[in-house]
Amino acid sequence: MNIALEIAASGRGAVEPNPMVGAVIARGDLELGRGYHERFGGPHAEVNAIAAARRNGVDITGATMYVTLEPCSHQGKTPPCTDAIIAAGIARVVLAMVDPDEQVSGGGIETLRRAGVQVDVGVRGRQAEHLLRAYCKLRKTKRPWVICKWAQTSDGYLALAPGCGRWVSCPESRRRVHEIRSWCDGVLVGISTVLADDPLLTDRSGRPRDRGPLTRIVLDSHLRLPADSQLIATAAETPVIVATITGAEMRAAGALSAAGAELLELPACDAGVDIAALLDELGRRQYTNLLVEGGARVLSNFIESGLADELLVFVSPQTAGRQAASQALPALDIAKLAGRFSLPDATETRVGSDTLLNYFL
């Protein structure tokens, strides 16, 4: 099962909104074949593992299949995996977890057992649930997994003083961010970030995105997004959603729509656009992972409203210095947040000269 979990992760960013799944066929300690779900709409892990065993020229009749998620028993983009398992003569299936998808949810297990296949459930279940946390959330709550990401100085600022350079984080951290973007469906910022930085917000990881480009989302209650911004200039090639409030001043709407941006009207709340309503809409569109990149107010709104699932904080050894407060540099210090909220322990990773803190809320 450890091998199955490891290879399942290879599908991250390619299979969503489907789950990452890995499968290994074995007889005793001898591995006969392995496979994982490689791309959305393609063969599932179980079918790929059976095909690999056949390419290896081995007989899998009576063998055991270890699979990280309950096999599907319904016709979707591919035939039911339970049919392939039964036809291959697999005698036993060991599962990490039951599929929370209402189309499966125990149906695959029942189908296999009716066919005389022994099914055992719960091996490495916690690890599988962690791997599939975004998939499980989408299936259970109809909302995407929300990752709040920022880079801060060691003294808690999101920018450096004028003349001290543009980047808070190191080049290795910036490359890591593009890797993260590569397996997300959308990246979100507030209008203040766009007005201050004019970001492009594209995925420049170099990884293929067969399921479509990363969608850029801007929270913009009063439609202040400049028509000459980089986001609008590239909207025809890479999607842009402008999330605004119902009944907002719409004079700019025509120009933004004509440039290729989608105007999404949502209810208003005290903080502007109702981000809970936005998450509901993105869930309806089958977004699995949403990356929230800023600015400080937007990030704080997600965290304080309990809508963030994960924090990724790149802490630089640089400091903003004594002038930071007087120059009104944006601030969001993870140390102060930890003092206000009961944050779980973070996983610490060294990324170049930075420290990456990863919290699961």
Side-chain angles (χ1 to χ4, degrees):
M1 189 64 79
N2 289 336
I3 295 172
L5 286 165
E6 181 180 350
I7 62 176
S10 301
R12 188 187 302 275
V15 302
E16 289 83 0
N18 282 353
M20 297 174 280
V21 182
V24 177
I25 302 171
R27 197 184 308 278
D29 293 333
L30 178 64
E31 181 182 321
L32 306 178
R34 64 171 69 176
Y36 69 95
H37 187 24
E38 299 178 12
R39 60 181 179 82
F40 178 71
H44 290 183
E46 301 91 327
V47 172
N48 284 334
I50 292 169
R54 288 172 175 160
R55 287 195 300 272
N56 294 336
V58 296
D59 180 12
I60 58 175
T61 304
T64 296
M65 174 180 284
Y66 298 84
V67 60
T68 57
L69 186 69
E70 176 184 7
C72 63
S73 54
H74 64 285
Q75 176 70 47
K77 289 184 177 296
T78 60
C81 289
T82 50
D83 289 359
I85 292 169
I86 294 165
I90 298 291
R92 179 181 178 223
V93 174
V94 180
L95 302 178
M97 61 177 286
V98 175
D99 192 338
D101 189 332
E102 58 190 16
Q103 295 184 86
V104 186
S105 194
I109 295 171
E110 182 181 354
T111 299
L112 292 172
R113 285 176 174 164
R114 281 203 311 264
V117 179
Q118 179 183 340
V119 182
D120 300 310
V121 184
V123 177
R124 298 292 187 270
R126 284 188 178 181
Q127 292 89 332
E129 288 175 5
H130 181 71
L131 176 69
L132 293 177
R133 55 193 180 272
Y135 169 78
C136 291
K137 183 190 177 187
L138 180 61
R139 291 294 176 269
K140 293 176 180 178
T141 71
K142 314 301 182 186
R143 287 179 174 177
W145 183 264
V146 177
I147 306 164
C148 287
K149 186 280 301 179
W150 70 90
Q152 67 167 76
T153 61
S154 59
D155 51 352
Y157 290 89
L158 306 189
L160 301 173
C164 295
R166 177 183 178 187
W167 301 109
V168 170
S169 58
C170 66
E172 293 87 349
S173 291
R174 298 197 293 275
R175 284 195 291 272
R176 179 69 65 86
V177 169
H178 283 286
E179 178 185 342
I180 296 164
R181 287 180 183 177
S182 75
W183 42 262
C184 289
D185 302 287
V187 56
L188 180 148
V189 296
I191 184 59
S192 295
T193 294
V194 177
L195 295 176
D197 300 334
D198 191 22
L200 193 55
L201 299 178
T202 51
D203 166 15
R204 299 189 287 280
S205 66
R207 294 184 60 189
R209 293 187 63 97
D210 294 337
R211 70 191 194 284
L214 180 72
T215 299
R216 288 88 53 85
I217 304 167
V218 182
L219 299 180
D220 186 6
S221 300
H222 304 292
L223 293 181
R224 295 186 291 152
L225 181 60
D228 60 352
S229 64
Q230 290 198 89
L231 289 172
I232 295 303
T234 57
E237 299 83 38
T238 306
V240 173
I241 294 176
V242 183
T244 191
I245 59 175
T246 303
E249 173 57 59
M250 302 298 283
R251 284 181 297 179
L256 296 175
S257 297
E262 177 188 352
L263 274 293
L264 179 60
E265 292 189 60
L266 295 165
C269 65
D270 291 343
V273 175
D274 186 336
I275 55 177
L278 173 62
L279 293 180
D280 289 336
E281 175 59 29
L282 297 180
R284 280 191 287 272
R285 300 183 186 203
Q286 294 292 288
Y287 280 48
T288 306
N289 292 282
L290 175 68
L291 183 62
V292 179
E293 292 201 8
R297 181 184 174 190
V298 170
L299 289 162
S300 297
N301 285 343
F302 272 94
I303 296 167
E304 292 175 6
S305 61
L307 295 175
D309 299 297
E310 183 176 355
L311 307 183
L312 289 172
V313 187
F314 294 86
V315 181
S316 168
Q318 299 186 85
T319 60
R322 295 180 180 177
Q323 297 178 330
S326 63
Q327 294 174 344
L329 296 182
L332 183 62
D333 190 355
I334 189 60
K336 291 181 180 178
L337 278 178
R340 293 172 51 205
F341 299 96
S342 179
L343 293 182
D345 292 337
T347 300
E348 293 191 19
T349 307
R350 195 73 175 172
V351 183
S353 59
D354 299 336
T355 299
L356 173 58
L357 303 177
N358 190 186
Y359 299 83
F360 291 99
L361 305 181

